[in-house]
Structures are given as structure tokens and as C-alpha cells.
């Protein structure tokens, strides 16, 4: 099935520019050994990973370029021309100029801890909010106020990535993260939710009703033993590579094919799946 889908996608995507809507460019293949054996919840307890994160915060110019160039060259060959990169949390502002050298447009979200830096002279394109562990009502209220004042800003966050994060949401909010965001009037068409591996039917209805964008990172699920949510084809879908450090695969297209196989096994029609993936890979953010 992989080969059939690949051939059809190559035909559909010929000459088109692709969008990687979720990437940690510093989490490339083999940057930290044996990370694929750890759950996300264990990363911050791993001394090897902590040491690497400390290192990335000190990378600038040529050193930063050397750290990410292999994946960027791979991406350029895959015709990726837009990337939403979460590595700004860990690296310098040199990322943007490095991407430009590969003719790739990049967006680096402003981290939620730096919201005080926003002004009429400094309006970020994206803001990243924390996942369930650090998400609070106070922070959402601040984000709403910023969104009202600067309506061009878009928001993104890791959402319901795993069973553990779902448990955190229900313990903390008494409901799913999506339901809680809706309750607090912060679900809209400027919001990009990443992963959503544990969304419910009600979450899907709320996402659809509020025209929320979702970013799927299919290649991360198997090595981390995550579930494959039943994602309807009519949602506003994007794809991301996330972290080859875990998936061992840099390919955005391979991730989309992985999801296509899941959809087809779930009974979705082949032609419709190809149509949705073609659109998801090529639309702007």
C-alpha cells in the first residue's frame, strides 16, 4: 500500500511547495542516542537530553548551521518551503537567516514566557502556549487579551499528545484540553493544535465548529506507543515532522503516507485520502 500511495502523491505533489507545520529542528536523527526508547514525559529526566538542550541554547551562526544543515538539505530536496519551527525555545534568532539560505520560509513562535516583549513594534506571527502541564486560566486570559489587541497573531500548542497528558488535563481541568479551551473562549481559526492523539468525538466536534487547525505528526506515534486517533478528513489538517530524534525519519511525505495508510484501514476512500493529504501538505500556515 505504501508504494501505491507514494506514487499517487508524487504525481499530485509534482512542482508544489510543501509546508512542515511542526518541527523541532534541533531534534534531528542521532543528536541524542536511544531517545526513541523514552516517553516524552521522561525526556526532561534524561541527563543526555538535558545536556543536549543546554548545548543548543548556546549555538549561534556557523555552529547552529552545522547542527541543522543535514535536515534542512533533506527538506529542501523534498520541496519543503515553509516550516513552523519550535526550536526557537532552545536556540538563537539565527534560525531564520539559516532557513533563508535554503530558500525556506520559517516561523519561530514566541514562547509564552516572553509575552511581555510583544508591542506594536514587535508583533510575532505565532505564539506557542504550554501543554497541559503548565497551561493555566491566567495564561489563557493573557493570550485572549493579546489576540484581541493584535488580531494577526496565531497560536499553537502541543495538545493531548499522549494518554498521560490526557490524564493531566482531566485531573487539572476536569475535562479534556479542547473542552477546557472552548469553555474559556479560546478555540478559533487562529489556533493550531499539535498531535491531538487523544481527542474524543466531542473534541472533534468543537475543533470543527471553531475551525481550529490540527497538526498531525504520525511518525512519532509508533516509537512512543501513542494511539492513532480517528481523525475525520473534513478537519483543517496539516502535517509535521516533529523530531527525527525519536521517529528516525526526516520525511514529511513519509509521515503523510503513514497517516494515509491509517485512514484507508479505517475505511476512508483512497482518492479522498490522497486529496486531503495533497491539500494538507501544500497549504500555507
Amino acid at each position: 500500500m505504501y508504494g501505491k500511495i507514494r506514487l499517487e502523491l508524487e504525481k499530485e505533489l509534482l512542482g508544489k511547495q510543501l509546508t512542515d507545520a511542526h518541527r523541532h529542528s534541533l531534534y534531528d536523527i542521532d543528536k541524542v542516542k536511544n531517545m526513541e526508547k523514552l516517553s516524552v514525559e521522561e525526556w526532561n529526566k534524561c541527563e543526555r537530553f538535558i545536556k543536549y538542550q543546554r548545548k543548543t541554547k548556546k549555538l549561534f551562526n556557523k555552529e547552529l548551521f552545522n547542527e541543522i544543515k543535514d535536515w534542512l538539505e533533506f527538506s529542501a530536496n523534498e520541496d519543503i518551503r515553509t516550516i513552523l519551527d519550535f526550536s526557537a525555545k532552545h536556540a538563537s534568532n539565527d534560525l531564520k537567516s539559516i532557513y533563508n539560505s535554503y530558500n525556506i520560509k520559517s516561523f519561530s513562535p514566541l514562547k509564552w514566557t516572553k509575552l511581555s516583549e510583544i508591542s506594536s513594534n514587535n508583533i510575532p506571527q505565532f505564539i506557542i502556549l504550554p501543554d497541559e502541564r503548565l497551561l493555566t486560566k491566567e495564561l489563557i486570559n493573557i493570550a485572549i487579551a493579546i489576540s484581541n489587541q493584535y488580531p494577526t497573531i496565531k497560536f499553537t500548542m502541543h495538545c493531548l499528545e499522549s494518554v498521560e497528558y490526557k490524564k493531566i488535563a482531566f485531573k487539572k481541568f476536569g475535562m479534556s484540553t479542547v473542552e477546557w479551551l472552548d469553555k474559556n473562549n479560546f478555540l478559533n481559526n487562529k489556533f493550531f493544535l499539535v498531535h491531538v492523539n487523544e481527542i474524543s468525538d466531542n473534541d472533534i466536534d468543537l475543533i470543527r465548529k471553531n475551525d481550529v487547525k490540527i497538526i498531525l505528526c504520525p511518525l512519532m506515534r509508533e516509537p512512543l506507543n501513542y494511539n492513532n486517533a480517528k481523525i475525520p478528513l473534513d478537519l483543517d489538517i496539516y502535517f509535521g515532522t516533529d523530531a527525527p530524534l525519536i521517529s528516525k525519519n526526516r520525511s514529511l511525505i513519509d509521515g503523510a503516507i503513514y497517516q494515509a495508510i491509517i485512514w484507508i484501514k479505517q475505511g476512508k476512500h483512497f482518492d479522498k485520502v490522497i486529496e486531503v493529504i495533497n491539500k494538507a501538505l501544500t497549504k500555507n500556515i
Side-chain angles (χ1 to χ4, degrees), residues 47 49-59:
E47 286 298 323
F49 182 69
I50 292 170
K51 184 177 179 180
Y52 178 68
Q53 278 201 307
R54 290 192 187 119
K55 170 189 170 183
T56 64
K57 294 177 182 179
K58 300 175 182 179
L59 294 176

Side-chain angles (χ1 to χ4, degrees), residues 128-145:
I128 176 176
L129 298 176
D131 60 42
E132 289 82 0
R133 294 170 296 178
L134 297 177
L135 193 62
T136 64
K137 179 70 163 65
E138 179 183 13
L139 185 56
I140 288 300
N141 287 341
I142 294 171
I144 290 172

Side-chain angles (χ1 to χ4, degrees), residues 240-274:
T241 47
D242 199 357
L245 179 70
I246 301 300
S247 68
K248 302 300 182 186
N249 192 331
R250 294 171 173 148
S251 174
L252 182 69
I253 294 175
D254 275 358
I257 293 172
Y258 182 94
Q259 183 63 44
I261 292 171
I262 292 168
W263 275 325
I264 291 167
K265 287 181 176 179
Q266 291 173 348
K268 304 293 192 297
H269 192 276
F270 181 90
D271 290 344
K272 183 61 178 177
V273 168
I274 296 299

Side-chain angles (χ1 to χ4, degrees), residues 21-274:
H22 183 68
R23 172 181 297 209
H24 296 265
S25 67
L26 289 159
Y27 295 172
D28 195 9
I29 292 173
D30 293 334
K31 293 298 183 183
V32 184
K33 299 292 185 182
N34 300 320
M35 285 296 293
E36 70 277 7
K37 299 177 181 178
L38 302 177
S39 69
V40 172
E41 293 80 16
E42 294 175 299
W43 288 10
N44 290 329
K45 301 174 185 177
C46 174
E47 286 298 323
R48 290 175 288 112
F49 182 69
I50 292 170
K51 184 177 179 180
Y52 178 68
Q53 278 201 307
R54 290 192 187 119
K55 170 189 170 183
T56 64
K57 294 177 182 179
K58 300 175 182 179
L59 294 176
F60 297 92
N61 301 316
K62 188 174 182 180
E63 287 183 333
L64 181 61
F65 173 81
N66 289 335
E67 196 74 14
I68 67 177
K69 68 180 178 64
D70 291 344
W71 192 4
L72 279 181
E73 288 172 1
F74 182 97
S75 298
N77 289 332
E78 203 169 42
D79 291 323
I80 294 174
R81 289 294 175 265
T82 303
I83 295 174
L84 180 54
D85 191 338
F86 276 40
S87 292
K89 293 191 298 177
H90 312 296
S92 76
N93 290 329
D94 293 342
L95 276 170
K96 196 175 188 69
S97 62
I98 293 171
Y99 275 119
N100 286 341
S101 70
Y102 283 89
N103 195 28
I104 294 175
K105 183 179 182 181
S106 66
F107 298 93
S108 296
L110 181 74
K111 193 177 178 182
W112 66 90
T113 55
K114 298 182 178 181
L115 297 182
S116 61
E117 297 178 6
I118 299 173
S119 69
S120 57
N121 295 320
N122 181 31
I123 303 175
Q125 293 160 314
F126 276 88
I127 291 172
I128 176 176
L129 298 176
D131 60 42
E132 289 82 0
R133 294 170 296 178
L134 297 177
L135 193 62
T136 64
K137 179 70 163 65
E138 179 183 13
L139 185 56
I140 288 300
N141 287 341
I142 294 171
I144 290 172
I146 289 172
S147 182
N148 289 336
Q149 185 173 2
Y150 305 105
T152 61
I153 296 177
K154 299 173 184 176
F155 294 82
T156 186
M157 65 174 283
H158 296 80
C159 179
L160 296 170
E161 182 173 356
S162 69
V163 171
E164 289 303 313
Y165 285 102
K166 181 179 179 180
K167 288 179 181 177
I168 291 171
F170 274 87
K171 182 177 181 180
K172 190 172 180 179
F173 307 133
M175 61 189 73
S176 81
T177 314
V178 174
E179 291 168 336
W180 185 80
L181 288 168
D182 181 64
K183 180 182 177 182
N184 286 280
N185 302 309
F186 203 58
L187 279 184
N188 54 59
N189 63 0
K190 296 188 294 182
F191 212 157
F192 291 69
L193 299 180
V194 185
H195 297 301
V196 296
N197 296 319
E198 294 296 328
I199 55 174
S200 66
D201 289 343
N202 188 52
D203 293 333
I204 289 170
D205 288 341
L206 291 171
I207 288 169
R208 182 185 290 115
K209 174 184 174 183
N210 291 283
D211 193 24
V212 178
K213 281 62 174 154
I214 63 169
I215 303 170
L216 305 180
C217 303
L219 291 177
M220 294 292 288
R221 298 189 201 126
E222 187 172 345
L224 293 171
N225 294 313
Y226 288 168
N227 294 318
N228 293 315
K230 291 186 177 180
I231 305 293
L233 297 180
D234 66 330
L235 298 184
D236 198 347
I237 298 167
Y238 292 77
F239 284 101
T241 47
D242 199 357
L245 179 70
I246 301 300
S247 68
K248 302 300 182 186
N249 192 331
R250 294 171 173 148
S251 174
L252 182 69
I253 294 175
D254 275 358
I257 293 172
Y258 182 94
Q259 183 63 44
I261 292 171
I262 292 168
W263 275 325
I264 291 167
K265 287 181 176 179
Q266 291 173 348
K268 304 293 192 297
H269 192 276
F270 181 90
D271 290 344
K272 183 61 178 177
V273 168
I274 296 299

